[in-house]
Amino acid sequence: MLEYLFCYIGVASLKRDENKEVDNYAKLKEKVENLGICCNSVTPEEYTRLMCPKCKGGQLIERSLSFHMSWKRNYALWRCFNFECGWAGQILAHNSTATMASDGLEPLDDVLAAYFAKRMISKDTLERNHVMQMAGDQIIMAFTYRRNGMLIGCKYRTLEKRFWQEKGTDKVLYGLDDVRDADEIIIVEGEVDKLSVEEAGFPNCVSVPNGAPQSIASKELIPPEEDIRFSYLWNCAECLEKASKILLATDGDLPGQALAGELARRLGKERYCPGTCCQISVMVLVLVNLGSEALKEAIECAVPYEMQNLN
Ligand SMILES: [Zn+2]
């Protein structure tokens, strides 16, 4: 009966001798509420579906956040089951920080380890780049985005190449910390490409966070503050403007060429980068089929990009 009452009368009315426990629970509840999770309807020790404060339930406006709070053990954990959100985390009453994205992640399982092994991406490279997978029963890769070592976002990818990114994070280049002091920077089209290039001996590589556009925009460049699709370049200017050479290693298809063009016109001499822009066409397939030596050779033989095609 006592348990039952605790479930429904809420923290403020808890009357138990163990004042400390009550305090702990109140502290936990406050921390959870500070994250925007409304837990008044929560039954401790059980899983409850709540409205997710991050995605507000997505398009279906459903209660997508699976939430669990333990009164006995003083912790709360949650995961949003809206596929496009995936917000997850856990918090302890006495832990000063709530950990966000990383808590919904776990080390790569055998399926994903094999997936990367087939692409000749080693365990060391995966670990160095903190490649994880989403916790749960689905096989979903998680590429963690970091800035100055801090986890600032996560991009998810299924084996069927479906992508989505955690909302509300600044768009930055993937692997940004690897080019912080680089004189030469290689920019590729996807996270797996970045890992492949690193495997070929070039850790000074970053990937764009949102793939390639369908075609090059014919209109003139818009000011950085309105340049939403390429905001990651402006957000990472502090690293890019130090480089004397930037190599655009995109796929050879039309979107890949369009991406190279769009990057070149922003990074080229008309904007902040004093370096020379070059383009080569390498795909992750090069690494898969020919090994990293061929990729290395392609990178070393890159030719200057023809800027006149752009304007
Ligand atoms: Zn959500």
Side-chain angles (χ1 to χ4, degrees), residues 106-113 116 126 131-133 140-142:
E106 53 188 36
L108 297 174
D109 67 6
D110 291 347
V111 175
L112 285 180
F116 285 111
L126 293 168
V131 180
M132 309 282 281
Q133 75 179 77
I140 299 166
M141 301 166 219

Side-chain angles (χ1 to χ4, degrees), residues 52 54-56 64 80 82 85-87:
C52 171
K54 296 286 174 194
C55 66
K56 315 272 186 256
S64 54
C80 176
N82 171 12
C85 173
W87 185 49

Side-chain angles (χ1 to χ4, degrees), residues 150-164:
M150 291 266 296
L151 181 72
I152 57 162
C154 194
K155 187 166 148 189
Y156 302 100
R157 178 183 157 166
T158 65
L159 290 173
E160 299 78 35
K161 282 199 168 190
R162 226 166 66 79
F163 294 99
W164 67 98

